[in-house]
């Protein structure tokens, strides 16, 4: 996971229902399924099949891989 220009890493997560919780730098974070609009990131607007951690941090599939 790369969450900004300077930081990336691997994190073990725990799935509960449709979310995945993980600890990153001592903070408990949760990935949840959303659409691109919910990420708050303009370049993801209109996309589907996304995950959001918090406003301004989200990830979407490009539709080319499954």
């Amino acid at each position: 996971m790369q969450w900004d220009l300077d930081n990336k890493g691997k994190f073990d997560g725990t799935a509960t229902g449709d979310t995945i919780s993980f600890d990153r730098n001592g903070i408990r974070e949760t990935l949840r399924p959303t659409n691109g609009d919910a990420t708050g990131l303009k370049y993801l607007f209109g996309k589907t099949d996304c995950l959001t951690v918090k406003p301004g941090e989200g990830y979407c599939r490009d539709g080319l891989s499954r």
Side-chain angles (χ1 to χ4, degrees), residues 3-43:
W3 62 95
D4 63 26
L5 294 175
D6 300 319
N7 295 291
K8 63 182 173 180
K10 292 183 179 188
F11 306 95
D12 292 324
T14 303
T16 305
D18 64 353
T19 65
I20 300 171
S21 297
F22 61 98
D23 291 318
R24 179 173 64 191
N25 297 330
I27 298 171
R28 189 72 168 171
E29 304 280 13
T30 302
L31 280 164
R32 62 192 178 286
T34 62
N35 60 33
D37 296 2
T39 68
L41 299 165
K42 289 182 187 179
Y43 65 92

Side-chain angles (χ1 to χ4, degrees), residues 43-60:
Y43 65 92
L44 296 179
F45 280 15
K47 293 189 178 273
T48 58
D49 200 13
C50 303
L51 296 171
T52 299
V53 177
K54 54 189 170 190
E57 183 181 355
Y59 310 88
C60 298

